[in-house]
Amino acid sequence: MHDLIFVYEPSTLSQHKVYQIKGTLYRFTGKCPWARIDHPQWCFTPLPGQRRKADIKLNQNLVRHYIYEVPGMVASRKSEVMGQYIQQTLF
């Protein structure tokens, strides 16, 4: 795998990047609209082809401890993980 970049601040999260959380590749979908203002949460969706299928929500403490950015990988709705690489589909 690539050299992972540790995410220190939730404000640096981008919907166009791929993140690794506990060994699974995720795409950042945005801030949770139902979370309390004083306890924000961030939502992540696993990329297709991953073992885990459920979306997850992380609070600020978990974002600072468990999220790594995978440099060189771009996330989109059509991204799919196959083995050691990520494939972009056109249609």
Side-chain angles (χ1 to χ4, degrees):
M1 186 59 75
H2 302 282
D3 294 331
L4 301 175
I5 301 170
F6 191 72
V7 176
Y8 293 103
E9 187 62 36
S11 63
T12 62
L13 295 173
S14 172
Q15 294 182 353
H16 302 290
K17 296 179 182 177
V18 175
Y19 297 97
Q20 182 179 4
I21 305 170
K22 293 188 177 180
T24 306
L25 298 177
Y26 287 90
R27 180 176 63 89
F28 174 63
T29 56
K31 201 169 180 180
C32 181
W34 297 284
R36 291 177 37 181
I37 293 174
D38 56 342
H39 297 290
Q41 293 180 337
W42 290 267
C43 301
F44 294 87
T45 301
L47 295 178
Q50 295 291 299
R51 182 176 290 264
R52 295 189 180 179
K53 304 295 181 197
D55 295 351
I56 60 171
K57 290 188 256 183
L58 300 177
N59 63 14
Q60 190 166 5
N61 291 337
L62 294 176
V63 167
R64 290 182 179 167
H65 289 20
Y66 292 114
I67 296 184
Y68 294 93
E69 177 186 335
V70 181
M73 288 190 175
V74 178
S76 68
R77 294 179 188 258
K78 302 288 183 180
S79 299
E80 183 174 352
V81 176
M82 297 179 174
Q84 292 292 331
Y85 60 91
I86 189 168
Q87 180 175 349
Q88 302 285 332
T89 56
L90 296 175
F91 303 101

